[in-house]
Amino acid sequence: MRCLIGLIATLAGACLCAAGSAQPPAQAATPKVLRYAFNAAETGFDPAQVNDLYSRIVTAHIFEAPYKFDYLARPFKVVSNTAAALPEVSSDFKTWTVHIRPGIYFADDPAFKGRRRELVAQDYVYAWKRFFDPANKSPLYSGFQEEGVTGVDALRDEALKTQRPFDYDRPVAGIRALDRYTLQYQLDAPRPRFVYTIADNGLYGAVAREVVEFYGDKIAEHPVGTGPFKLAAWRRSSLITLVRNPDYREVFYDGEPAADDTAGRALLQRFKGRRLPMIDRVEVAIIEESQPRWLSFLNREFDLVWPVPLEFANQAIPNGRLAPYLAQRGIQLERIVNPDRTLYYFNMEDPVVGGMAPHKVALRRAISLATDVQREISLVRRGQAIAAQSIVAPGTYGYDAAYQSDNSRYDTTRAKALLDMFGYVDRDGDGWRDLPDGTALVIRYASQPDALSRQFDELWKRNMDRIGVRLQISAAQWPEQLKAARAGQLMVWQLAYSAAAPDVQDGLQLLYGPASGGQNLARFKDARFDALYERMQTLPDGPERLALLREELKIITAYAPHKFIVHRIVNDLSQPWLLGYRRPLYGNQFWQYVDIDDSLRAAH
């Protein structure tokens, strides 16, 4: 699975030593290569078309937004990236002005026809508009649309109405390049947290129009950005190889760890002032099965296991501590409660589990009540999770560790009573419950074909067996299931969502009506929920916004379009020669901040 980089020796100028013999040619430095694996396949590298974590990790290292999250700051801090300073913001949070730093260049590419291509404000205007172009079918359209950038949606509406290409050349009031390096956003309503959107490098990185036009429908295979790395090779669902971008500007290691962050302050002291990136190459293998991924790390083929597969958690981190046999090898543990939530969603347009009729709500709530979360945590997750009470992820706005809801309740007696009350009973004596109209009740559950997914499937089967509900499991690769989910073809699917920013709004978007078919895979639509969501967008953080959030959580619990299961405890292990690693809470960036010391590899 390794891809070797060719080495070319550089010849030193000929000279004579004191004894009169010629010195041997100097050898080129051995490239520093970071090797690790994803446990699911990527989908592509066009920011306007990706929506999975794995692709976004790659795009976050190729493209650059105006801002980024400080690698060392905890809980978080937004800092300048391609922008010269933090944005100038009007008092009503509706006008945001950004000054782009001159002298930043895109990675060299044939699309530029041999010319150096400088980053300009217009590249961000173009990148934003691409999410609205119907031809791109962006799954993130609804998220960008709800930011309320004035006039962009009208361009989309015109393209849809006339069936003509999206007019990128027409200026709009909401996003303008005031001059070569000045970018201004005009929003229809206040957006106090808009800076989080323009700090998402994986999605809102600058895109050069000529690159998109040069590669056409192959653009997902040819990402070209201003970031620290560039794509060198890609074997779909197998291996992703990136190399240092030789056109990357001078950027030096810095950060602002908290005063009590001992580990963060040690990293700052060690690396401050080093030019980034510190490594030359990144090779990411796609290995869906846990055992080969784990063994590759133990056999020193990978520098990082991200994270420890659940099947091996007990032997790697017994009682939450690094196992002595790994500590003796100098292996390092990074352990956090991830800002995420795992869930399964019900397709609200499905004729069996969807809809807002009382008997449909009762079916969803009964399935939720029959889900044994604690058993999942102890058996399948090996204790590496905490039960989720709601959609709000740890570390994001509004999370309260003391909050309790019916979402976490496990009660098969109550589940059976609900089903009985609403007519889901066994009418033909085959041992399985039927629909109220007498036809067979079958829950079609989407899954993946790897060994770990099969453990979740078995638990799901036991849960449904206990309440007499027949379960039909359909396994397919992750990208295939995601495609089917967006098309509304799945009935029930379990997956995880990591927070992209430290606010709850992105999580709530998973149930926002206009996001149906995009982020809202459940296709849940409720007018009151949507109104609360839109109001929350405009408010600054505070008691009023928190009160609206609590009301939204009650709506979710009442209608049960989602069952929130756990927040994962992630355990990343790094080899002793991988230096400077810490899992980023937001932003998905860490490659440029780590170093490889091959002398330590030899010592261990």
Side-chain angles (χ1 to χ4, degrees), residues 254-299:
D254 204 353
E256 295 186 40
D260 59 352
D261 182 0
T262 303
R265 298 188 75 80
L267 290 177
L268 181 62
Q269 182 176 6
R270 180 169 193 167
F271 294 111
K272 185 177 175 63
R274 292 276 301 274
R275 185 169 179 177
L276 304 179
M278 295 186 281
I279 58 175
D280 303 295
R281 187 178 179 95
V282 180
E283 295 174 5
V284 183
I286 312 302
I287 305 178
E288 295 176 339
E289 293 290 350
S290 298
Q291 186 178 49
R293 199 166 63 250
W294 174 241
L295 291 178
S296 293
F297 176 77
L298 291 182
N299 292 335

Side-chain angles (χ1 to χ4, degrees), residues 51-54 56 139-140 338-345 381 390-394 396 478 482 485-486 493-501 506-511 515 517-523 562-564 566-568 585 588:
N51 194 26
D52 62 288
L53 171 64
Y54 310 100
R56 286 173 68 167
L140 277 302
N338 209 39
D340 68 12
R341 76 288 285 170
T342 71
L343 60 91
Y344 59 80
Y345 75 83
R381 296 191 179 276
S390 76
I391 199 169
V392 187
T396 64
W478 165 264
L482 181 59
R486 287 178 181 158
W493 189 27
Q494 181 168 320
L495 67 166
Y497 287 89
S498 296
D506 285 350
L508 294 173
Q509 190 187 102
L510 303 180
L511 291 167
Q519 288 290 81
N520 182 357
L521 297 180
R523 297 170 180 257
H562 284 178
K563 166 69 173 184
F564 306 106
V566 301
H567 307 299
R568 295 173 294 184
L585 295 178
N588 298 322

